[in-house]
Amino acid sequence: GNSVTQMEGPVTLSEEAFLTINCTYTATGYPSLFWYVQYPGEGLQLLLKATKADDKGSNKGFEATYRKETTSFHLEKGSVQVSDSAVYFCALSVGGTSYGKLTFGQGTILTVHP
Amino acid sequence: DADVTQTPRNRITKTGKRIMLECSQTKGHDRMYWYRQDPGLGLRLIYYSFDVKDINKGEISDGYSVSRQAQAKFSLSLESAIPNQTALYFCATSDLQGVDTQYFGPGTRLTVL
C-alpha cells in the first residue's frame, strides 16, 4: 500500500536557522507529493506540491524537490522565522481508485525560538 | 467568512452517546472528506464523498457513518461513541480540477469520556 514517513519531531530551531524536514514515501504508480502546514488552532493548508519527478515545489521560502530515485520529498527553508512554528505534514496522492485521496505522514512539530 | 466550517468546534460526550459533527463549505466543491488526527499518527481518512450520491469508506470507517445532505454539507456521525474515538476531526473539500489540493476546516476536538 501507500505510505509516507517523516522524520521524528519535534524540531526546535533558532530564528534564521536552516530547516530540513525529511520525507520518504512508498507508493504504487506515480504519486503527486505535497507538504501541508497546520498552524496552532487551525486546519491544514497546502504549503507546496510537486506532481512529477524532478519538479520543485516552492512557497513562502520553503522548497521541496520530488526525487523519484530516492522516493523522497524533503522540505527545506534557508532561514526560518518564529511565525513558521507549526506542524508540517508530508502527503501523497495517486491515481486509479485512490484518485483524490491523500495519504499523510505522521507530522513534524517545528518550534522556532527568537 | 471561512470557506469550510465545522460545528461544533469542541465537544465532550460520554461513552455510548450518539454524536454528529457537521461540515459546510461555500467553495462549490464536489468532493468532501472526513479525517481524524491523532498525535503521532498524522491524519487518517474516515469517509469521502465525490458527489452527493457517491460515498466511500476510508481506511478507518468502523464505528462511523456519514451523510451527504447536499453538495455543501457532509456530516459525520458516531452512533455509539467510545473513548478511543477521542481525537481532532477535520473536514476537507476539493474540486475536480485541483483534486489533489484539499481545503480543510478548522477542526472539531471531540472528547469521549
Side-chain angles (χ1 to χ4, degrees):
Chain A
N2 303 321
S3 67
V4 176
T5 302
Q6 295 180 228
M7 66 184 287
E8 291 283 336
V11 175
T12 303
L13 296 172
S14 297
E15 206 164 26
E16 299 183 2
F18 184 85
L19 169 70
T20 299
I21 301 178
N22 291 337
C23 171
T24 57
Y25 68 89
T26 301
T28 54
Y30 301 96
S32 297
L33 301 174
F34 308 84
W35 279 100
Y36 278 80
V37 59
Q38 182 182 26
Y39 297 104
E42 299 182 10
L44 281 71
Q45 54 186 275
L46 180 67
L47 181 60
L48 54 85
K49 68 178 182 181
T51 58
K52 61 183 187 296
D54 299 325
D55 270 1
K56 177 184 285 188
S58 61
N59 186 26
K60 299 181 180 181
F62 291 89
E63 293 183 338
T65 301
Y66 188 145
R67 301 289 189 197
K68 184 180 177 184
E69 64 277 12
T70 55
T71 63
S72 66
F73 193 55
H74 304 322
L75 182 68
E76 297 181 336
K77 187 175 185 183
S79 177
V80 294
Q81 305 300 311
V82 172
S83 57
D84 293 327
S85 298
V87 184
Y88 292 81
F89 292 92
C90 186
L92 66 81
S93 175
V94 297
T97 57
S98 296
Y99 193 52
K101 291 162 55 180
L102 290 171
T103 299
F104 286 90
Q106 73 270 35
T108 302
I109 299 171
L110 170 67
T111 302
V112 181
H113 293 297
Chain B
D1 287 340
D3 294 318
V4 184
T5 57
Q6 293 183 233
T7 56
R9 293 293 312 277
N10 289 282
R11 180 72 182 267
I12 299 174
T13 191
K14 295 182 179 180
T15 297
K17 294 291 187 181
R18 183 180 189 275
I19 184 167
M20 178 181 289
L21 309 182
E22 299 186 340
C23 176
S24 295
Q25 52 111 349
T26 58
K27 299 188 74 67
H29 290 168
D30 287 320
R31 301 182 175 208
M32 299 186 74
Y33 311 80
W34 275 105
Y35 294 90
R36 66 176 278 174
Q37 182 181 16
D38 298 279
L41 294 178
L43 274 74
R44 293 180 291 166
L45 184 63
I46 306 172
Y47 271 95
Y48 62 103
S49 171
F50 282 178
D51 65 43
V52 175
K53 296 181 180 179
D54 178 69
I55 292 178
N56 305 278
K57 293 181 177 180
E59 60 181 304
I60 55 162
S61 59
D62 288 348
Y64 302 94
S65 63
V66 291
S67 173
R68 185 81 183 266
Q69 300 96 322
Q71 186 204 37
K73 296 184 181 296
F74 192 37
S75 300
L76 176 72
S77 293
L78 287 68
E79 297 300 326
S80 180
I82 56 176
N84 77 0
Q85 291 177 314
T86 294
L88 190 54
Y89 290 85
F90 287 103
C91 174
T93 73
S94 66
D95 65 20
L96 285 174
Q97 297 303 315
V99 66
D100 291 340
T101 300
Q102 295 186 13
Y103 298 84
F104 285 78
T108 294
R109 184 167 296 282
L110 176 66
T111 302
V112 183
L113 302 177

